[in-house]
Amino acid sequence: MATIRPSTSYFTFGGGEPAYTSYAQRGGIPVVEENVAAVLELLPAFSSLRLMRQWAGITDITPDTMPIMGATPLRNLYMSGGWGTGGYKAIPAGGDTMAYTIANDAPHPLIKDFDLDRFERGALIDEGAASGVAH
Amino acid sequence: MLRIACPHCGTRDEVEFRCGGDAHIERPGSEVSDAVWADYLFNHDNPKGVILERWCHVFGCGQWFNVARDTLTHEIHAVYRMGEPAPERYR
Amino acid sequence: MKQAFRNEQGGRIDRSKPLGFVFNGKAMQGYSGDTLASALLANGVRIVSRSFKFHRPRGIVSAGVEESGGILAVDYGTGLQPIVRSTQMPLVDGLRAESQNCFPSLGFDLLRVFDYTRSLWPAGFYNKIFKWPDWHAFEWAIRRSAGLGRLPDSMSHARFCHMNAHCDVLVVGAGPAGLSAALQAARAGDDVMLVEQDNEPGSSLLHDLSEIDGQPPAAWLAGTLAELRGADNVKILTLATVAGYYDCNVVTIHDRVAAYRRDDPIEIFWKVRAGRVVLATGAIEQPIMFGNNDLPGIMLAGAMRQYANRYSVRCGGRIVAVVNNDLAWQSVAALPESGMEVAAIIDSRDSIDDALADQARQHGIDVYPGAAPIAASGSNGVRKLQYRDREGRSRTIECDAIAVSGGMSPTVHLYSQAGGRLRYDEQLACFLPRECRQEVTVTGAANGEFATARTYHIGPRKPSAAKTSCQWVDFLHDVTASDIELACRENLRSVEHVKRYTTTGMAADQGKTSNLNTLTLLGDLTGRSLGEVGTTTFRPMFMPVTMGTIAGVRRGAFYTAAKRLPAHDWHAAKGAEFEDSGGWDRPAWYGKDRAACIRRETLLVRESVGLFDASSLGKIEVKGPDAAEFLNRIYVNTVPNLKQGKVRYGLMLNENGIMLDDGVFIRLADDHFLINTTSGNADGIAGWLEEWHQGEWPGMDLVISPVTSQWAVVTVAGPKSRDVLRTLPGMIELSTKQFPHMSFASGVFDDGTPYRIQRVSFTGEMSYELSVPANCATAYFERVWAAGQVHSIGLFGVESLMILRLEKGFLHVGGDTDTTSNPFDAGFRKIVASKQGDFIGVRSLQRAEDKRGDRRQLIGFETNDKDATVSAGAHIVTGHGVTQRSEGFVTSACLSPTLGKTIGLALLERGFERQGETITLYDEGRLTTGRIVDACFYDPRGERMRG
């Protein structure tokens, strides 16, 4: 389970993914059960609160779960994708370094390792702890 | 929740299975270029529609088999054994 | 105790069984068969709660799942539960209900100041108004006044369980349509499950007194139920709500039939796999938009009839009806028979069916076709209704309740969850099922079949002449028509955007009575038909389900059930402190004082002899003519030249060349191997071997058999280990000459127990791993323990094992490596170089990247200050200030009891060529210095291990 976000009369929590590719954006019951069980493990008093809604979205996850940022084989086409579950913490830095990359047509030093070619080179990145991905 | 027809055990819930990703991926020999090797390791199709993939009935017979599944509707169109070719219309 | 609004006779309640309950501290009485809502109404309670944002008074509005007003905190014996629909809460004796969202009390709510200053708080107000000077200045007050109800302070006392079922036909809803469908399927021999959310089957048959198939409804219901209950292929669930409709006709049900018992309440979550689903879910009557349409006393017309006919409760004394459809006339016509005066029916349609009008006039009801409501008034309940008559004149009529009906909206939620698409029907003014890929049929009112006896006419939903800021769309979230207007002005056109901006339909009632009016308004404002506007996505849960029910038994100890060692109790009796380790409950140390125990256990192994339970060690047997060649492709190490009875260290990579697992492998026979994996990876590696065998090399003749739990492993380590073990009768000759390091043998003890023994070491000391059948675990721990007493044998746990292996510099794959570490990075260059032929990951190791010399490499270090503490995860940094950067990080570290200094392993850029270099460690804000040393800190020549 990744996140609990309090709101006004309800709170939102979520995380996990089905173990297969899906564009359905519905979410199945096994993932719901896992998430709910995780919340109750942390906060047992929530057992009599009610689950109102469930939904699922599509996350873009790369082989090393790290984003792909930088130039592409097409001239003037830049890419910032594959943020998967880490985007909403890292994107301020992501936006800043992408702006630099586009303005200079050269990768910002902080993101040069996040290029698209890293898979062909075999230079994958492991920042699991930094991105909050469950190990 | 998917219900998958294991060719050996019959129809069971998805939680009994493990999805192993794309089926029919050929493992290249050591002589191939880095680019071809990276294709094998990382660069796969990601269709919104029918995908051919391998599943294993982990909490059952432990056997791997192939499935033609729609990634949008989750309909399972075909189940066939390892080594068998994909049904004509999904190739 | 008087139930002033209950009639003397009639209804389905049992007057011989009075039930006491408490509402806001006041004792009241209802009857068996009541819901909390009907009992409150019978007691004349008009205001039951306050609304969410403006704290406006709220009364009961409906008699079902769509309730938006009567949402209370209820304690029926399992603790106070927030946000319970009183309309779905069967009255039980001793029940305690409390209003929510009132400060300081229900009757006098200070926070209604928000209501009187309403124009200041439009949709999205918190993003607009509280900008200056800073949102955080206002956050506390907003959080205090927001929210709905209080959190319970402890776990529910109820039990939660899951049930699994299969059936041919699942029928959802036990009204006339559902009962007919169930009967038909049952007669055809199908296994049928019939699910009803009410506490008894029947639905409209329980309050609509019109005939069905020429019979009175009660008779038809009794006959049908008798047949269904008599059939052994039919299962009927009541007080059970279908919550979600998923892929492959998997349906979840929240079953509350045992939830309200005093003793041992149980909530059940059903997961049903249905061959076919029949949705007979009925339809929900919609409210009408006019000024102050949220005042207590304004209720759905059908609900008023339901309270009258089923519960014998009068919802008012003098009622005005505001309607736009035929069904509502029938509901209203039933009210006078229960002692309510119906002053008038105001219908927005210009022409009314003559029969309906005549019927109404016979009951003394004034009929106003072509009229439209403007606004209701009254402070804590409706007192008057202002309306515009057919000629356009404004009129006022006195009343204490208003029955409203804006037409029926089929309950298509589950159909939509199933992936079904909807269409808007102009004639019926509602969304109807269109098509679905799953095996589902929709019948009855859910399919738009609202009236069997006559055709159903409905007029358009017309905008009211009242100010839009006092016309309520979402009664629970306090969304008004002006909020929808604002959203449109701000150019939000998509219904999904309008919903999120205004939060309409997102409250605890989930928009069951607000969505259609929102869509209608949005259509009017943007000049689109409802078909073009579309609906928001319907998502599970149809009715909110308690989280405990969804988790089921996966709570506490069962959240992630740990595996237990076969000799668990023996270790517990010896004072073991258990910790989760790779999914197993393993002894971490023995005794009370953690640090002292770990130190004592470590030194014990170094100095004399220690006993360790290694039963969780992964054990997989691979047997067959091709076993050697198969494992040669699995391991980086060479397999085929291993001699029988010999043990070799083995390293596995994934196809990307990353270290996956390590452990020893043993040749039991020419065609038979036993391989060891780390404890946490035992299942994973067994699966990994199967995947490669079945998927890549199916022609190889071998079988893979995981045997981890078959064998208990008694590890005896330390200089005296041989002396202890050789006293066991039946033990093989253990001398180094006969049985050197990295040997394997099997034998039989004097008591007939077969054993396997391998001389391997993860501690750096002479060490033997003795395997006995798992059911002999306790006996053999006891036996070795007894045999070791003369050498002062002691137990050691996982914590000291990890120190012992760190002192020796032994790698822990996954701990000392990450998902970028290849074998070169851990110093296995020679093993890779000497390997012939294909193995998993071999191609990846040929990439230039994998051979680079500046990769992060695993090195040993010690701190300059001998007592410095360093945590795993500390960074090795270079530079200062803004140029400071991390060159790597510590993977393991400890204060070595043996060496008397702090040592550790780290992954460091160019680590191998930096031997002797001084490093700076950054550890949670502290800087420590150290130097790079050989990663084998203890007995680098391995003399003690081999001795």
Side-chain angles (χ1 to χ4, degrees):
Chain A
M1 196 224 9
T3 318
I4 297 185
R5 192 172 74 91
S7 180
T8 42
S9 65
Y10 48 87
F11 69 96
T12 311
F13 60 92
E17 60 215 45
Y20 47 88
T21 313
S22 170
Y23 287 91
Q25 299 189 66
R26 289 198 294 275
I29 199 69
V31 180
V32 173
E33 283 177 20
E34 265 166 43
N35 273 282
V36 170
V39 169
L40 295 190
E41 179 68 7
L42 285 173
L43 304 157
F46 282 18
S47 57
S48 57
L49 296 192
R50 286 155 205 273
L51 185 70
M52 280 172 50
R53 263 187 297 280
Q54 66 165 87
W55 69 92
I58 297 171
T59 54
D60 45 349
I61 298 173
T62 62
D64 58 6
T65 72
M66 289 292 114
I68 297 169
M69 287 186 281
T72 68
L74 285 179
R75 190 166 156 63
N76 291 336
L77 179 69
Y78 298 85
M79 149 166 207
S80 172
W83 285 91
T85 55
Y88 64 106
K89 281 166 285 182
I91 202 62
D96 194 48
T97 48
M98 275 304 289
Y100 175 100
T101 303
I102 294 166
N104 295 287
D105 195 22
H108 187 285
L110 284 179
I111 63 168
K112 68 173 173 34
D113 290 343
F114 291 82
D115 64 335
L116 180 59
D117 290 340
R118 72 174 184 272
F119 301 102
E120 185 172 326
R121 291 201 311 275
L124 272 57
I125 298 167
D126 184 342
E127 283 194 344
S131 69
V133 174
H135 282 276
Chain B
M1 181 163 66
L2 299 182
R3 299 265 297 150
I4 300 167
C6 170
H8 309 283
C9 307
T11 303
R12 299 283 191 278
D13 290 354
E14 75 177 47
V15 292
E16 293 185 18
F17 297 86
R18 183 163 85 77
C19 179
D22 298 271
H24 309 296
I25 300 288
E26 294 219 2
R27 184 172 186 250
S30 277
E31 70 288 351
V32 298
S33 68
D34 283 359
V36 171
W37 187 249
D39 276 346
Y40 159 67
L41 287 180
F42 304 121
N43 301 331
H44 295 181
D45 287 340
N46 188 10
K48 187 175 183 175
V50 176
I51 188 172
L52 304 177
E53 54 192 12
R54 297 187 305 160
W55 285 76
C56 180
H57 194 188
V58 181
F59 299 103
C61 59
Q63 297 302 297
W64 285 87
F65 54 91
N66 296 312
V67 169
R69 181 179 64 91
D70 191 304
T71 59
L72 181 62
T73 65
H74 289 179
E75 284 170 296
I76 292 173
H77 295 292
V79 172
Y80 53 102
R81 291 172 192 240
M82 294 300 279
E84 285 179 7
E88 195 81 45
R89 56 185 297 212
Y90 302 117
R91 270 180 233 169
Chain C
M1 297 285 266
K2 195 164 172 296
Q3 300 178 42
F5 288 77
R6 181 93 70 185
N7 288 338
E8 296 290 318
Q9 287 175 343
R12 297 179 64 88
I13 37 144
D14 185 350
R15 287 178 177 78
S16 70
K17 288 185 188 154
L19 303 172
F21 71 103
V22 176
F23 174 64
N24 284 343
K26 196 171 162 196
M28 296 183 182
Q29 196 189 65
Y31 295 119
S32 175
D34 260 327
T35 62
L36 174 57
S38 66
L40 286 167
L41 286 167
N43 283 274
V45 176
R46 300 203 85 186
I47 308 177
V48 291
S49 65
R50 293 270 169 178
S51 70
F52 168 67
K53 187 165 150 190
F54 297 129
H55 293 249
R56 285 172 66 88
R58 290 282 179 257
I60 289 159
V61 176
S62 77
V65 66
E66 67 272 32
E67 182 60 24
S68 62
I71 296 178
L72 304 172
V74 175
D75 182 359
Y76 48 82
T78 61
L80 200 67
Q81 289 194 21
I83 319 187
V84 175
R85 283 165 174 73
S86 57
T87 49
Q88 294 224 301
M89 178 68 223
L91 191 66
V92 292
D93 203 37
L95 178 147
R96 191 164 60 88
E98 287 179 11
S99 301
Q100 299 185 148
N101 232 26
C102 311
F103 178 77
S105 72
L106 177 65
F108 174 71
D109 189 326
L110 277 177
L111 294 175
R112 208 177 164 189
V113 65
F114 287 122
D115 187 25
Y116 303 131
T117 54
R118 208 159 68 220
S119 60
L120 295 175
W121 324 107
F125 70 93
Y126 39 82
N127 296 326
K128 294 173 178 165
I129 292 178
F130 298 110
K131 290 277 218 199
W132 185 90
D134 180 0
W135 151 256
H136 295 98
F138 303 97
E139 183 180 0
W140 179 85
I142 290 176
R143 295 247 185 264
R144 172 85 182 74
S145 60
L148 194 64
R150 283 199 319 269
L151 264 177
D153 54 12
S154 62
M155 193 186 287
S156 166
H157 309 312
R159 277 201 291 151
F160 301 106
C161 74
H162 283 196
M163 298 277 275
N164 287 284
H166 295 75
C167 65
D168 297 321
V169 181
L170 174 73
V171 181
V172 186
L179 288 165
S180 303
L183 203 56
Q184 203 181 356
R187 284 173 181 166
D190 289 330
D191 277 328
V192 179
M193 277 183 86
L194 175 61
V195 187
E196 170 55 49
Q197 62 187 356
D198 209 334
N199 66 348
E200 58 177 320
S203 190
S204 65
L205 300 169
L206 306 174
H207 56 82
D208 183 345
L209 305 179
S210 26
E211 288 194 338
I212 174 166
D213 293 347
Q215 293 181 53
W220 188 91
L221 177 61
T224 307
L225 282 177
E227 184 174 345
L228 288 172
R229 286 183 173 137
D232 54 14
N233 56 337
V234 179
K235 180 170 183 62
I236 303 176
L237 302 182
T238 52
L239 279 175
T241 310
V242 171
Y245 192 146
Y246 299 89
D247 295 321
C248 303
N249 268 0
V250 174
V251 168
T252 56
I253 302 168
H254 184 202
D255 180 342
R256 297 166 290 133
V257 74
Y260 308 119
R261 302 189 301 193
R262 266 288 144 190
D263 301 317
D264 193 19
I266 306 176
E267 291 184 59
I268 303 165
F269 197 52
W270 288 82
K271 284 177 272 189
V272 181
R273 295 92 180 146
R276 185 161 66 86
V277 175
V278 178
L279 296 176
T281 43
I284 293 172
E285 197 164 38
Q286 298 296 304
I288 280 197
M289 306 278 296
F290 54 90
N292 298 324
N293 56 338
D294 66 327
L295 281 178
I298 301 179
M299 295 176 69
L300 297 171
M304 279 200 189
R305 174 172 69 173
Q306 201 167 331
Y307 286 114
N309 286 351
R310 181 167 171 190
Y311 303 103
S312 200
V313 168
R314 300 184 306 278
C315 292
R318 182 180 156 88
I319 292 162
V320 170
V322 175
V323 305
N324 71 346
N325 65 87
D326 290 352
L327 273 183
W329 284 71
Q330 307 201 38
S331 300
V332 174
L335 302 179
E337 285 161 28
S338 293
M340 283 166 268
E341 179 197 351
V342 178
I345 300 181
I346 294 168
D347 195 317
S348 58
R349 296 173 296 171
D350 290 325
S351 71
I352 308 294
D353 182 73
D354 286 341
L356 286 175
D358 289 345
Q359 184 191 18
R361 288 193 189 97
Q362 276 164 25
H363 284 108
I365 304 174
D366 290 338
V367 175
Y368 300 121
I374 298 172
S377 55
S379 58
N380 280 327
V382 58
R383 288 275 165 266
K384 279 186 276 205
L385 175 71
Q386 185 194 4
Y387 69 98
R388 183 179 46 76
D389 70 11
R390 188 198 282 263
E391 285 74 38
R393 288 170 301 208
S394 173
R395 305 252 177 199
T396 300
I397 186 166
E398 292 198 359
C399 56
D400 61 1
I402 301 177
V404 296
S405 175
M408 305 304 283
S409 179
T411 309
V412 292
H413 304 62
L414 296 174
Y415 183 79
S416 188
Q417 287 178 24
R421 282 140 70 105
L422 307 175
R423 66 181 176 86
Y424 186 72
D425 187 297
E426 295 284 349
Q427 200 109 48
L428 297 174
C430 63
F431 287 93
L432 290 177
R434 192 175 85 192
E435 55 173 358
C436 184
R437 288 167 182 274
Q438 302 215 43
E439 278 291 317
V440 57
T441 49
V442 188
T443 175
N447 200 32
E449 299 145 23
F450 297 130
T452 41
R454 64 180 87 219
T455 50
Y456 169 76
H457 290 294
I458 180 167
R461 296 182 189 88
K462 291 178 182 163
S464 159
K467 276 198 307 190
T468 51
S469 61
C470 64
Q471 297 183 41
W472 304 85
V473 184
D474 187 315
F475 301 111
L476 205 55
H477 261 176
D478 280 337
V479 180
T480 62
S482 63
D483 290 322
I484 309 292
E485 290 174 342
L486 177 71
C488 288
R489 276 205 305 282
E490 300 191 356
N491 206 26
L492 299 162
R493 290 176 61 88
S494 154
V495 59
E496 297 284 3
H497 293 157
V498 171
K499 166 183 160 179
R500 281 160 185 76
Y501 187 62
T502 63
T503 73
T504 186
M506 291 172 74
D509 68 333
Q510 295 168 310
K512 291 188 176 69
T513 55
S514 60
N515 283 348
L516 200 57
N517 277 332
T518 302
L519 301 177
T520 306
L521 275 169
L522 189 59
D524 289 347
L525 289 164
T526 56
R528 290 178 294 174
S529 71
L530 258 69
E532 289 168 319
V533 173
T535 64
T536 54
T537 311
F538 293 94
R539 295 192 167 96
M541 311 292 161
F542 171 68
M543 262 278 285
V545 178
T546 45
M547 302 228 293
T549 308
I550 294 170
V553 298
R554 289 169 69 171
R555 296 196 298 166
F558 295 111
Y559 172 54
T560 43
K563 289 177 273 196
R564 284 193 163 187
L565 300 170
H568 181 94
D569 293 344
W570 187 84
H571 295 294
K574 290 274 185 276
E577 282 293 328
F578 292 92
E579 273 182 4
D580 173 72
S581 173
W584 291 82
D585 265 354
R586 297 176 72 186
W589 66 86
Y590 296 80
K592 289 277 169 267
D593 181 348
R594 179 182 187 276
C597 290
I598 293 170
R599 183 182 160 78
R600 173 176 48 76
E601 291 169 18
T602 306
L603 294 173
L604 180 79
V605 173
R606 291 277 177 252
E607 286 159 13
S608 57
V609 57
L611 182 58
F612 178 81
D613 193 332
S615 303
S616 62
L617 187 75
K619 298 173 278 287
I620 303 166
E621 291 189 24
V622 180
K623 189 170 186 192
D626 296 324
E629 176 52 26
F630 175 72
L631 290 176
N632 202 41
R633 296 182 191 181
I634 297 289
Y635 283 111
V636 178
N637 316 69
T638 303
V639 177
N641 63 2
L642 183 68
K643 292 196 170 55
Q644 189 175 327
K646 290 295 168 193
V647 180
R648 185 171 286 171
Y649 173 78
L651 179 67
M652 290 182 198
L653 311 183
N654 67 19
E655 193 73 308
N656 192 31
I658 305 305
M659 288 183 280
L660 183 68
D661 199 61
D662 69 346
V664 299
F665 58 91
I666 300 139
R667 191 161 209 159
L668 303 177
D670 195 42
D671 65 344
H672 192 183
F673 288 80
L674 169 65
I675 76 172
N676 285 170
T677 73
T678 52
S679 296
N681 263 348
D683 296 339
I685 297 299
W688 175 252
L689 301 185
E690 282 290 355
E691 184 175 356
W692 281 92
H693 181 220
Q694 292 180 38
E696 196 60 38
W697 304 306
M700 289 190 134
D701 189 1
L702 57 100
V703 289
I704 297 155
S705 179
V707 295
T708 301
S709 56
Q710 271 87 328
W711 296 94
V713 180
V714 182
T715 295
V716 187
K720 302 280 173 59
S721 56
R722 178 161 49 209
D723 298 338
V724 173
L725 283 172
R726 67 175 18 148
T727 64
L728 299 177
M731 178 51 72
I732 57 150
E733 172 53 50
L734 294 177
S735 68
T736 298
K737 189 156 181 263
Q738 291 290 321
F739 196 65
H741 185 58
M742 301 301 260
S743 300
F744 172 92
S746 54
V748 179
F749 285 122
D750 59 332
D751 61 358
T753 304
Y755 68 88
R756 290 171 165 183
I757 188 165
Q758 58 202 52
R759 186 173 166 187
V760 293
S761 177
F762 196 44
T763 58
E765 299 298 331
M766 180 199 297
S767 172
Y768 299 88
E769 291 177 0
L770 171 68
S771 297
V772 292
N775 58 346
C776 305
T778 302
Y780 269 83
F781 271 100
E782 189 56 44
R783 217 171 164 184
V784 175
W785 176 256
Q789 287 310 304
V790 291
H791 301 289
S792 303
I793 196 169
L795 285 151
F796 66 106
V798 174
E799 293 286 344
S800 46
L801 178 75
M802 291 314 278
I803 288 176
L804 290 159
R805 71 94 199 170
L806 177 55
E807 289 175 344
K808 184 68 186 161
F810 282 146
L811 175 75
H812 174 212
V813 172
D816 295 311
T817 65
D818 70 10
T819 62
T820 66
S821 307
N822 72 21
F824 303 137
D825 303 335
F828 293 117
R829 191 170 287 276
K830 273 190 194 156
I831 294 180
V832 176
S834 64
K835 178 69 179 264
Q836 305 286 316
D838 187 18
F839 63 93
I840 297 168
V842 62
R843 175 62 185 82
S844 292
L845 299 180
Q846 295 167 13
R847 295 176 300 208
E849 179 70 29
D850 285 74
K851 297 178 189 163
R852 271 170 42 188
D854 59 349
R855 294 172 62 91
R856 283 200 296 243
Q857 294 158 338
L858 192 69
I859 51 101
F861 71 90
E862 56 186 51
T863 56
N864 291 344
D865 173 3
K866 283 184 172 182
D867 299 327
T869 57
V870 175
S871 329
H875 282 266
I876 298 170
V877 295
T878 176
H880 296 282
V882 290
T883 63
Q884 188 175 66
R885 63 177 283 268
S886 167
E887 294 188 294
F889 53 90
V890 175
T891 59
S892 302
C894 73
L895 175 58
S896 162
T898 311
L899 306 168
K901 60 186 176 186
T902 294
I903 57 170
L905 297 174
L907 284 167
L908 178 66
E909 289 172 14
R910 299 183 293 107
F912 291 157
E913 63 185 51
R914 293 166 69 175
Q915 185 88 314
E917 205 173 281
T918 295
I919 53 172
T920 305
L921 296 150
Y922 178 89
D923 184 12
E924 292 175 13
R926 288 179 303 111
L927 290 176
T928 311
T929 55
R931 63 194 175 86
I932 302 172
V933 297
D934 191 282
C936 185
F937 305 92
Y938 176 76
D939 186 25
R941 298 162 67 97
E943 284 160 353
R944 298 182 66 88
M945 189 165 74
R946 295 193 179 84

